[in-house]
Amino acid sequence: MCGIFGYWSPRRDALDAAVLRAMGQALRHRGPDDEGIHHDPARGVAVGNRRLSIIDPAGGHQPFVSDDGRIAVVQNGEIFNHVELAAELRAQGVVLRTHSDTEVILRLYEREGMACLKRLNGMFAIAIDDAREDALYLARDRIGVKPLYVMRRGETTLFASEIKAFWPVPGVERCSDAIDLEAIHHYLSFNYIPAPWTVWRDVRHLMPGTWQRYGRDGRVHTERWWRLADQHEQAQSFEPWAEEFMALLDDATRLRLRADVPFGAFLSGGVDSSTIVGLMARHVREPVRTFCIGFADPRYDESSFAAEAARRFGCAHTMEVAELNMLERWPRVLWHLDQPHGDASFLPTLRVSELAARQVKVVLTGDGGDELFAGYDKYAQFFARPEAEALSQPAFERQYFDSISLLTPAAKAALYRPALRAQLEGLDSFEVAARPWFEEAAHFDRINQALYLDMQLLLSGNNLVKPDRMGMAVSIEARTPFLDWRMMEFAFRAPGRTKLSPAGDKKHWFKRAVAPLIGEDLAYRNKQMFTVPIGDWFRGELHGWLRQTLRGSAWLAEAFEWASIEAMLDAHRSGAANHTRELRALAALALWARGQGIDSDGSPITEADV
């Protein structure tokens, strides 16, 4: 895993070499081991890389450049089937000088162009400078495990793995006028900003499963190279389904054990992480290193379940009891995120990443299992409604969206001050951000439609941001076997009732399939969210801090009605309502604005500050 960065100028306006180095330095936490830049100032293009050395540490220096010097490739991520692809290339007479997966990308691209992306089983963001075509290509993996941001600065396009890499570029400024208010509107619906929007008006997130070509004529060609919706549900019986499920997940896990550095796994004791660790144990000679944090408060502590799974699979298990109140970490979390996120589980994810980073550079995680196989309570709660299946399609889409929204359109309108309300009038997050995905998934049953929405929005917008940024904050790579493309396509060929039973059993067939591996107790234990009790703190000891944080934000005061915020604060404190999620999202927005220098003296915080 790494960080990539660079630029393309159709007018051949070159960036200074010192600026490129500063862009790379901004991503040093993503790649502390090495740096490489391929810069052609005469053509106005550069591709750069900050490397976390995982595969072929000695030979994997990036960029990889073709023999004629005309193609340069950098990537952030890993190609897990690079061994098989390299063998295929060698059988065809292609000379590979290293064991690096990035060299495999170069050689495939030379032969197949961007069609080679479909050959890659991995997580990746790729940049290719092709001087033969005088063009720059950018590409992102199928479901958005790895980030890739693009910024327009005049006629020049900048790209990077994190938004913070754009700030060293002359003429790029952080100020309230540059904030994308439409993105803030969507944030208040989703609790995160969905791609392609970002908090900055001139920055966009390249969509998952998409590549772009930047040409000398200034045009940008965008092509979607993978669609999960191309799958179709098939009637299935449990036994063959379970056999294929376990075989696919086992192979996905095996491939993700390829590393030339120490690796381990996050282990909560939940069904997803326990299954991954159980499969890892089949393929390694040494005990799997597993990592878990516990809490003194039993309402939030899963460490006993993690210990049970570790014993079952003979793991070298490391557990620390962590401080429950992690709010002092919030500014650091938001610095690494570059954008506001209202999800409190980023805090303990950073803590367990710090624990793992003491021993390993790679961890496997259970991310993606809940979205693929209906693991969240929200699915059971919505489909327990008697009318859920009888609703018209438009009513189903709107009611499901409303059930997962942070604030309703009416609540957002009441929160906005008159000028912002007028500016955003008529903008509907459902119509703009959700309906297109429902339309794409219309051939699925309704459970799979709900899951598809989360696969396209929640994963890339929030749940995959979490292991990427919190892992990269301490320079470790997180790998997600459930998001192997074969597993994703398999999951969406299964009818929704195999995932959520009519009785409301979540991960219905999934749990039956893995119970022989992980045991009945772990397979059927109640799901516990990996979070901290911020709502309780906001009623009690942190209420004063929260009120001061929200009241003291100049940006919030400019955008939102204090009376609406105060009403939420008072209702939450008295117990008349539970506004944990809304207040958490507003607090994250206020802390983010302060960290960017928008709410202070204009000096944004730096990595040293956090």
Side-chain angles (χ1 to χ4, degrees), residues 361-500:
K361 292 180 80 170
V362 174
V363 291
L364 272 64
T365 80
D367 291 292
D370 289 320
E371 293 83 2
L372 286 170
F373 297 103
Y376 295 128
D377 288 340
K378 65 180 181 180
Y379 304 130
Q381 291 165 358
F382 181 84
F383 287 101
R385 301 178 182 184
E387 74 278 10
E389 295 289 352
L391 291 167
S392 68
Q393 182 64 19
F396 159 70
E397 293 174 4
R398 174 61 78 169
Q399 289 192 28
Y400 180 74
F401 176 81
D402 289 345
S403 75
I404 63 173
S405 293
L406 182 66
L407 290 175
T408 65
K412 287 195 281 189
L415 177 64
Y416 296 156
R417 296 197 68 184
L420 182 58
R421 190 181 310 128
Q423 186 170 346
L424 296 175
E425 185 176 6
L427 179 62
D428 186 346
S429 293
F430 168 76
E431 292 289 344
V432 174
R435 184 188 287 280
W437 298 117
F438 276 121
E439 291 176 349
E440 192 168 284
H443 60 290
F444 292 134
D445 63 41
R446 288 190 171 173
I447 293 171
N448 275 328
Q449 287 180 45
L451 298 178
Y452 192 81
L453 187 70
D454 278 348
M455 290 294 294
Q456 302 299 336
L457 293 175
L458 180 63
L459 269 181
S460 66
N462 188 82
N463 288 3
L464 291 176
V465 178
K466 193 184 312 173
D468 177 79
R469 301 302 195 286
M470 298 302 94
M472 286 287 88
V474 292
S475 305
I476 63 170
E477 173 178 287
R479 299 178 173 182
T480 52
F482 282 107
L483 297 178
D484 186 295
W485 68 268
R486 299 167 298 169
M487 178 58 72
M488 292 189 286
E489 291 185 355
F490 168 81
F492 276 84
R493 291 193 296 269
R497 285 305 182 190
T498 68
K499 305 171 184 183
L500 180 65

Side-chain angles (χ1 to χ4, degrees), residues 79-108:
I79 309 305
F80 300 118
N81 65 332
H82 73 279
V83 174
E84 292 78 11
L85 292 172
E88 180 182 325
L89 287 166
R90 288 190 175 99
Q92 296 170 3
V94 177
V95 175
L96 296 170
R97 297 179 176 85
T98 74
H99 299 290
S100 169
D101 55 336
T102 308
E103 185 181 12
V104 169
I105 298 173
L106 169 65
R107 301 309 176 188
L108 283 174

Side-chain angles (χ1 to χ4, degrees), residues 86-257:
E88 180 182 325
L89 287 166
R90 288 190 175 99
Q92 296 170 3
V94 177
V95 175
L96 296 170
R97 297 179 176 85
T98 74
H99 299 290
S100 169
D101 55 336
T102 308
E103 185 181 12
V104 169
I105 298 173
L106 169 65
R107 301 309 176 188
L108 283 174
Y109 174 77
E110 287 179 315
R111 299 169 73 84
E112 302 176 17
M114 295 306 284
C116 75
L117 296 175
K118 295 183 179 181
R119 309 278 305 280
L120 307 181
N121 185 344
M123 52 181 193
F124 51 83
I126 298 170
I128 302 172
D129 172 26
D130 189 340
R132 304 171 310 175
E133 299 182 15
D134 201 14
L136 173 75
Y137 287 92
L138 301 177
R140 197 167 176 216
D141 66 57
R142 291 171 176 83
I143 207 65
V145 182
K146 294 293 103 190
L148 186 55
Y149 297 94
V150 178
M151 182 179 199
R152 292 300 295 270
R153 171 184 160 272
E155 297 296 318
T156 297
T157 296
L158 310 169
F159 68 88
S161 296
E162 295 183 15
I163 295 172
K164 61 178 62 67
F166 299 142
W167 305 138
V169 179
V172 174
E173 296 182 357
R174 283 178 278 186
C175 62
S176 59
D177 290 342
I179 292 175
D180 188 337
L181 296 176
E182 179 180 351
I184 298 298
H185 187 75
H186 298 325
Y187 171 72
L188 294 173
S189 288
F190 293 102
N191 206 30
Y192 58 89
I193 296 173
W197 294 274
T198 78
V199 73
W200 302 106
R201 191 172 53 249
D202 294 332
V203 179
R204 286 296 174 259
H205 205 172
L206 183 63
M207 293 297 288
T210 298
W211 61 262
Q212 290 184 329
R213 180 187 187 275
Y214 293 80
R216 187 59 63 193
D217 59 4
R219 296 179 182 177
V220 181
H221 172 79
T222 301
E223 189 164 318
R224 193 166 170 199
W225 64 273
W226 184 80
R227 283 185 4 132
L228 184 56
D230 289 341
Q231 305 309 304
H232 294 273
E233 294 153 346
Q234 303 167 0
Q236 302 179 45
S237 57
F238 173 72
E239 286 76 14
W241 180 94
E243 183 178 352
E244 185 175 1
F245 169 78
M246 291 302 295
L248 280 174
L249 191 57
D250 181 74
D251 194 57
T253 302
R254 177 187 66 84
L255 289 178
R256 283 157 181 79
L257 296 176

